[in-house]
Amino acid sequence: MTATVIDGKAFAATVRHKVAEHVARLKADHGLHPGLAVVLVGEDPASEVYVRNKGKQTVEVGMNSIEHKLPADVSKEDLYALIAKLNADPAVNGILVQFPVPAHLSETDIVAQIDPAKDVDGLHVVNAGLLASGQRAMVSCTPLGCLMLLRDALGALSGKNAVVVGRSNLVGKPMAQLLLNDSCTVTIAHSRTQDLPGVLRDADIVVAAVGRPKMVIGDWIKPGATIIDVGINRVEKPEGGTRLVGDVDYESCAAVAGAITPVPGGVGPMTIACLLANTVTACCRANGLPEPEGLTA
Ligand code: NDP
């Protein structure tokens, strides 16, 4: 079998298109202009690229992009005061603090300052709790993107055996909750899992979020399974230079699976698209309006 390639780049474009349509309706019918505030602390070059990209895509879908750049030595008090100001500003529907932050600041404590209704990264413990109890939450962007790709590829997920490899708060745990909420039978594997190949053998759905290049190999995969590769790993090329690979060994897995996401061009583009989706959702919720269809969990 040769797997169907799940084109995350194309799907992300359709998500952005839906967001743009919804934003246009919010403006025309309700005079609302959704806004996303991104806070960058310090001058990490990779973070600056991410923030620039997010700002560009935010504007492209018709939303307001509000950027705050703070010096690397900003005090916790000054950062929290800015977050409090953004929490109180009705023109700001989503708040994102770009991580990593300098060592004198705590990511967990920063997230705790953000109003859960504006926590478009879905990292606040209130949102984790709402998701875990099957209630309406802000859902972390990467797992939300994976869920959209899975629903698009498979239709209803009910009854499928799903294995999530990785248990981070950012990806693995919310992914498992989303699959459970869609009535999958869910197993979470991690670094202490014994016999990972055995755990994966019966998986109809595999989501790999580990951070280990090409760890999951085709021999472990059930024929016809759907594989979502979240991993982004930069590796050296034999001829010099570097390239990106996932946590899944694409060649051997694509020979066995029914469908698979590539790296790059799979989950990656979905993450920013879902950030925009979450911001428009937050705007609708804040104003008591119906949620945009197809953009939430
Ligand atoms: P973390 O490092 O926070 O978590 C990795 C998880 O993998 C941990 O739960 C760890 O287990 C588990 N793990 C490590 N080694 C093994 C192993 N040998 N077998 C099974 N499980 C193992 O990473 P993230 O969840 O933040 O990210 C995972 C990957 O996804 C990274 O490559 C990251 O770059 C990528 N990523 C991609 C995004 C995108 O937009 N596409 C967004 C976010 C992340 P334990 O808990 O026991 O240590």
Side-chain angles (χ1 to χ4, degrees), residues 41-203:
V41 182
E43 286 170 2
D44 177 57
S47 294
E48 284 187 348
V49 172
Y50 291 139
V51 167
R52 221 178 9 255
N53 230 332
K54 285 170 186 168
K56 186 168 160 272
Q57 294 195 28
T58 305
V59 171
E60 277 168 6
V61 296
M63 298 199 287
N64 257 335
S65 169
I66 304 131
E67 274 180 37
H68 289 273
K69 289 194 177 178
L70 301 177
D73 62 354
V74 68
S75 70
K76 164 177 105 172
E77 290 74 18
D78 285 353
L79 173 60
Y80 292 1
L82 172 62
I83 295 173
K85 207 171 111 205
L86 297 171
N87 282 341
D89 184 348
V92 172
N93 300 108
I95 303 170
L96 181 152
V97 179
Q98 183 68 45
F99 292 153
V101 287
H104 69 284
L105 298 167
S106 149
E107 295 183 354
T108 310
D109 292 348
I110 290 170
V111 169
Q113 304 298 315
I114 299 173
D115 177 351
K118 298 188 180 188
D119 168 37
V120 280
D121 250 350
L123 292 174
H124 197 289
V125 288
V126 165
N127 282 315
L130 288 169
L131 179 63
S133 54
Q135 298 183 64
R136 201 176 76 168
M138 272 290 142
V139 178
S140 179
C141 304
T142 301
L144 178 59
C146 295
L147 182 76
M148 287 182 187
L149 292 177
L150 281 167
R151 284 179 177 166
D152 184 61
L154 295 172
L157 306 184
S158 176
K160 306 266 186 218
N161 285 334
V163 176
V164 179
V165 192
R167 57 174 165 179
S168 69
N169 290 332
L170 181 66
V171 187
K173 282 184 202 150
M175 188 71 245
Q177 293 292 350
L178 288 169
L179 292 165
L180 190 60
N181 290 349
D182 266 23
S183 298
C184 291
T185 303
V186 183
T187 304
I188 306 176
H190 46 78
S191 68
R192 307 296 170 89
T193 296
Q194 292 181 15
D195 188 20
L196 183 60
V199 171
L200 288 173
R201 197 163 297 131
D202 287 330

Side-chain angles (χ1 to χ4, degrees), residues 223-239:
T226 301
I227 303 178
I228 304 290
D229 188 353
V230 181
I232 301 179
N233 309 289
R234 192 165 284 283
V235 296
E236 308 266 321
K237 288 196 285 193
E239 66 271 29

